Amino acid sequence: MATATPQDPDRPAIDTALVRRLVDTQFPQWSGLPLRRLEQAGSDHVIHRLGEELSVRLPRHAGAIGQAEKEAEWLPRLAPHVPLAVPVPVAVGKPGLGYPWPWMVARWLDGEVATVAALADSYDTAVELAGFLTALQRFTPDNAPPRTRPTPSRPGTGRHGPPSPGSTASSTRRP
């Protein structure tokens, strides 16, 4: 006989029945739409297809908390400045029914999952991705949070920050 194990509070159980109840109670206008869980394509969210035009994304671990609100604020502002489609947020759900974090409903983006196998020999995809990343780096909206960049580790030390004077790291630079 199997015994139940306590659920990890940092990784709540997310099944289709829970997602259905969350959508139906918070967004009754979509309660009649079919809902189906998608195969796991990432590690941050559980994704369900809601009808033909929507997706529901719920963070699967504590490290993804806050993404729904950030995406709802920033994706509509970012979309006109990048050459590829980004998800269009439609609603942000609230914690409830035992699910602890905000979650998002967005417009469905048609396409294929970007797997290593699918993209292995795709020059065109690499060019498109480079264009997207270039546009993303140029995006400087008003009221943007300050940009921060991680400082690379100092070679051989495991410590972060610029090399100290006289370190071997400074002698490895090319003129």
Side-chain angles (χ1 to χ4, degrees), residues 12-36:
I14 304 169
D15 60 16
T16 302
L18 171 65
V19 177
R20 174 89 276 160
R21 290 191 315 272
L22 286 167
V23 169
D24 291 355
T25 57
Q26 296 187 34
F27 304 109
Q29 69 271 30
W30 300 319
S31 64
L33 296 177
L35 180 73
R36 69 178 171 85

Side-chain angles (χ1 to χ4, degrees), residues 44-57:
D44 283 349
H45 295 86
V46 171
I47 302 172
H48 282 72
R49 180 102 184 239
L50 180 60
E52 293 299 313
E53 298 180 15
L54 300 171
S55 64
V56 181
R57 294 177 61 232

